[in-house]
Amino acid sequence: MTEPEAQPGALRVAEALADGASIDWKALPKDVPPTQGLSFQLIDSVLRDYEQAAEEVRERLRAPLLQADSKWGPLRVLEPIGAGSFGQVFRAFERSLHRDVALKVLRDQPPRAAGGIPEFLEEARRMARVRHPGVLQVYGVGVHDNRAGFWTELVCGRTLEEIVEEEGPFEPRIAAQIGVDLCSAVAAIHKVGLIHGDVKTENVLREEGGRVVLTDFGATDDRFDLEAEPSGLGSLLSAAPEVLRWERPTPATDVYALGVLLFRLLTGSYPRRGETPQQLIEAFGGPPVTVGQARPEIPQAIAAVVDRAIDPDPARRFPGPHSMAQALHHALHPESGPVRTVRELDRPEPPPGSLLQAFGVSAAVSLVVAWSVIGIAIPWLWRHYPPPAPAPVEMVAKVAAPVGLRAQPTLYRVSAAGTEPLSDGSAIQNGDRLGL
């Protein structure tokens, strides 16, 4: 049984609905049946209700959470400088230290972790442990006027995403150097036991002097809802396939995101496209994607680093950001010698204050073994190989005698019994103490 073909009038009404055009329901084409006309009216009503609700949400997101020249804890709010689904960012003034800072205020009350501590507070404390020029420095965190937030250093510059959108892809060597800097920053985050979880061009600021700063940490315990609309396209397109499959983020997750970021800087595009997590998962089943396909003039050494970082298999990526940084550095400076992939460099640091953190495992073990050997060897050597007695010394006295006096030098043997003058032919034994 074949379906009836749509009439021309019905097609015109459907196109008008899709375009959001206004429709006179009393003047529908004659070939549109009454029942079909009612269905069109119902669809139109649903679409308009949806658009109205969406506009209300957008209006709520645009509404400032704090007013200019207001106070939030120890800060004075100056002006808004950014916004997102999480909340808003303001330029603020820290009165106690007389400096401008960036204040991030959360839109909703944050969920609480075990013990009743807000999750964002615990995360901010962990972020504050990171000390690296490429990671945004956290100054403080708190809840004031029932509004949670934290403040950081104020970085004056544009995001890498803004630069790509306004100026196009980066020159390969500049992109590779940015990659080295960001790998170092991510390695510092991993060193304190954290996963960034949201490395993307939108979360990297570049100052006019060239310094790049990694900002927002992702919610590493969250998962992408396969049926939900993505909250940020950059986050979705930078997500490793294992994260899209609801697996827990790992250091390899950040390595993949670093590779996608470099792909974006070098080509202005992404290695894989999709508007939903499910579409991206399906895209990973396609043929391998290489940065050289999108931009053939990229040097092969740089392209090889990017291609390895975006491998769908975590085991075939770099062991960690340190190894990736070494490979990028070698691609920029091949005269520096072969790349050494050291997995130990990509491991988290031991807990603060431990002996292992101060010396490292190998150094601590070597120190213990060395002291043990020295403690056993010195007494044994002393018993079996005593130090040799001092050799006889020939002493010559050169005295400038005053007028009227005569110097008479005499050599003595010194012992417990006293002193014994020596003459020509006296025998001297090893161990004798002599005096003049």
Side-chain angles (χ1 to χ4, degrees):
M1 182 177 179
T2 60
E3 295 182 358
E5 295 184 0
Q7 298 298 322
L11 290 176
R12 292 197 301 272
V13 174
E15 291 174 354
L17 284 174
D19 294 337
S22 179
I23 300 175
D24 184 357
W25 298 108
K26 295 181 179 180
L28 289 176
K30 294 181 179 180
D31 59 356
V32 177
T35 55
Q36 193 175 38
L38 291 175
S39 298
F40 280 141
Q41 290 187 55
L42 179 61
I43 294 174
D44 182 62
S45 176
V46 171
L47 290 176
R48 294 188 183 281
D49 289 344
Y50 176 82
E51 180 59 31
Q52 181 179 356
E55 181 59 33
E56 291 175 357
V57 172
R58 287 192 290 266
E59 188 64 30
R60 186 174 68 88
L61 294 178
R62 287 193 294 264
L65 299 177
L66 299 175
Q67 299 298 323
D69 206 32
S70 63
K71 292 182 179 180
W72 186 90
L75 308 178
R76 181 166 60 88
V77 179
L78 299 178
E79 61 179 345
I81 56 177
S85 59
F86 63 88
Q88 295 175 349
V89 182
F90 297 85
R91 187 169 68 90
F93 182 73
E94 190 172 12
R95 299 188 297 271
S96 59
L97 297 178
H98 291 269
R99 63 180 176 183
D100 284 355
V101 297
L103 169 62
K104 176 180 290 187
V105 179
L106 303 188
R107 189 176 303 281
D108 301 313
Q109 287 297 316
R112 293 184 175 271
I117 300 175
E119 289 182 357
F120 92 97
L121 176 58
E122 183 62 28
E123 185 71 10
R125 288 172 177 171
R126 297 167 70 191
M127 289 170 57
R129 290 172 53 194
V130 182
R131 288 290 183 269
H132 191 279
V135 178
L136 192 70
Q137 185 176 355
V138 177
Y139 292 150
V141 62
V143 179
H144 300 284
D145 299 327
N146 205 32
R147 188 73 70 182
F150 59 92
W151 61 102
T152 68
E153 64 173 309
L154 180 64
V155 180
C156 298
R158 294 182 294 169
T159 68
L160 294 182
E161 181 63 22
E162 289 172 337
I163 297 175
V164 171
E165 289 289 342
E166 295 170 8
E167 302 179 11
F170 281 69
E171 194 273 327
R173 293 187 64 85
I174 295 178
Q177 185 56 56
I178 291 175
V180 172
D181 296 341
L182 289 178
C183 284
S184 178
V186 173
I189 295 171
H190 290 181
K191 193 175 182 182
V192 298
L194 291 173
I195 304 297
H196 186 280
D198 200 15
V199 177
K200 59 182 180 180
T201 51
E202 293 94 329
N203 284 344
V204 180
L205 289 167
R206 190 175 192 225
E207 293 181 323
E208 293 183 359
R211 175 196 174 208
V212 290
V213 182
L214 188 56
T215 61
D216 295 348
F217 280 49
T220 56
D221 288 331
D222 287 350
R223 300 292 182 271
F224 288 104
D225 185 347
L226 297 183
E227 302 299 331
E229 284 290 324
S231 59
L233 190 58
S235 297
L236 180 62
L237 297 178
S238 300
E242 62 268 22
V243 175
L244 296 174
R245 294 193 298 266
W246 288 48
E247 297 177 16
R248 186 176 184 83
T250 66
T253 302
D254 281 345
V255 169
Y256 180 86
L258 285 166
V260 174
L261 182 145
L262 286 177
F263 194 104
R264 176 71 169 159
L265 295 186
L266 290 167
T267 68
S269 183
Y270 290 92
R272 294 170 180 86
R273 282 281 184 179
E275 295 183 356
T276 66
Q278 188 59 49
Q279 290 178 1
L280 270 178
I281 290 175
E282 295 172 357
F284 279 106
V289 178
T290 65
V291 70
Q293 294 172 347
R295 191 177 174 186
E297 68 270 21
I298 295 175
Q300 178 58 34
I302 296 176
V305 176
V306 178
D307 292 342
R308 180 178 176 184
I310 62 174
D311 195 296
D313 185 355
R316 291 200 294 262
R317 299 174 202 153
F318 292 97
H322 267 303
S323 303
M324 185 174 174
Q326 287 183 354
L328 284 171
H329 179 79
H330 180 69
L332 291 170
H333 309 283
E335 70 281 0
S336 61
V339 177
R340 295 176 295 172
T341 301
V342 184
R343 286 183 178 269
E344 285 74 12
L345 291 176
D346 294 311
R347 293 176 178 170
E349 68 179 5
S354 66
L355 176 65
L356 298 180
Q357 183 181 11
F359 296 102
V361 175
S362 59
V365 172
S366 301
L367 184 61
V368 172
V369 172
W371 276 112
S372 300
V373 171
I374 292 173
I376 296 172
I378 289 180
W380 186 88
L381 291 172
W382 190 274
R383 288 195 302 270
H384 293 81
Y385 297 94
V393 179
E394 179 181 348
M395 292 178 288
V396 179
K398 294 184 179 180
V399 180
V403 177
L405 297 177
R406 183 178 181 182
Q408 183 65 43
T410 304
L411 192 63
Y412 294 87
R413 178 188 286 115
V414 181
S415 65
T419 59
E420 175 190 355
L422 301 178
S423 59
D424 291 343
S426 296
I428 300 176
Q429 303 294 329
N430 284 337
D432 285 347
R433 295 175 63 191
L434 305 179
L436 183 64

